[in-house]
Amino acid sequence: MGKFIIVLVGPSGSGKTSLGSELTKAGYPKLVTTTTRSKRPGEQEGEDYYFRAASELEADDFVEQTVYNNHMYGLTKAEVQEALAHHDIVHVSLDRNGVHALSRQYPDIAVTCFITISEEEMARRMAKRGDSPRKINERISFCREIGELTPPQETDYVIENNHFQQAVNELLAMIDQLK
């Protein structure tokens, strides 16, 4: 069996994090990204993120990185190499730019899975977590504008996540096909 990095990408509220948790439970470890932001209550070093000062990091330590709210987030080459030294299949959730970078760096082993949901389901999930109708409409419009609702060109699989357990089953079946 070869080595694979399962890359989950999709719009806000698509369920990437929840699906990633299911992959971890199934024995496929998560690649942990690094951030310069402070740890939030309940977050664990090495589980949620690696928390580092910007002065500790070099640009070429990273496969991909992005800045969000004045904090850097990124996946280090060392994290990928360490995980693949011990596991055949690992997973990570990235944004579109992260998908492009990871696919360039690891073209033979990056398997990109676009997680999609209907706009109606996205709105329902955002409302369930307490977002206002105005914020929901703004977020969906923003997703449309930036193309977040369509798969990146590197996409290998598309999984619709309107029904969570069905999406989990499809994702695990896809991984079984890779083995």
Side-chain angles (χ1 to χ4, degrees):
M1 173 165 71
K3 303 274 185 180
F4 293 101
I5 303 169
I6 308 302
V7 186
L8 303 176
V9 62
S12 178
S14 63
K16 299 179 298 290
T17 302
S18 298
L19 288 168
S21 294
E22 292 298 314
L23 290 181
T24 301
K25 286 181 200 168
Y28 305 111
K30 176 179 106 170
L31 294 175
V32 179
T33 54
T34 297
T35 184
T36 57
R37 75 161 171 75
S38 299
K39 192 186 302 184
R40 294 178 184 148
E43 289 182 327
Q44 300 291 314
E45 169 72 20
E47 199 173 301
D48 297 294
Y49 291 98
Y50 295 110
F51 298 93
R52 300 289 180 268
S55 60
E56 297 177 66
L57 306 170
E58 297 289 329
D60 41 307
D61 291 343
F62 291 89
V63 173
E64 62 84 32
Q65 58 183 312
T66 189
V67 175
Y68 180 74
N69 283 345
N70 296 318
H71 296 290
M72 192 280 306
Y73 294 81
L75 179 63
T76 65
K77 294 172 187 172
E79 173 70 3
V80 175
Q81 291 162 352
E82 178 69 18
L84 290 175
H86 296 96
H87 305 281
D88 290 330
I89 299 175
V90 296
H91 71 90
V92 64
S93 294
L94 297 174
D95 65 12
R96 298 173 82 81
N97 293 331
V99 169
H100 298 313
L102 190 79
S103 296
R104 274 194 309 275
Q105 186 93 22
Y106 299 97
D108 299 329
I109 64 171
V111 178
T112 301
C113 187
F114 182 77
I115 309 302
T116 183
I117 58 171
S118 66
E119 288 183 20
E120 295 77 21
E121 182 64 12
M122 185 188 299
R124 191 186 70 72
R125 289 180 187 176
M126 287 191 274
K128 189 176 173 183
R129 71 181 184 203
D131 292 356
S132 70
R134 187 178 63 82
K135 185 173 174 119
I136 291 169
N137 288 332
E138 286 173 3
R139 181 65 186 143
I140 290 173
S141 293
F142 180 72
C143 286
R144 282 188 204 125
E145 280 173 38
I146 65 169
E148 199 179 53
L149 300 172
T150 57
Q153 94 183 46
E154 297 88 352
T155 299
D156 298 297
Y157 296 91
V158 175
I159 292 180
E160 190 169 330
N161 188 16
N162 288 329
H163 305 286
F164 184 70
Q165 193 54 54
Q166 183 179 334
V168 170
N169 294 343
E170 285 180 42
L171 189 55
L172 293 172
M174 184 242 355
I175 292 171
D176 284 341
Q177 290 176 352
L178 294 174
K179 293 181 182 177

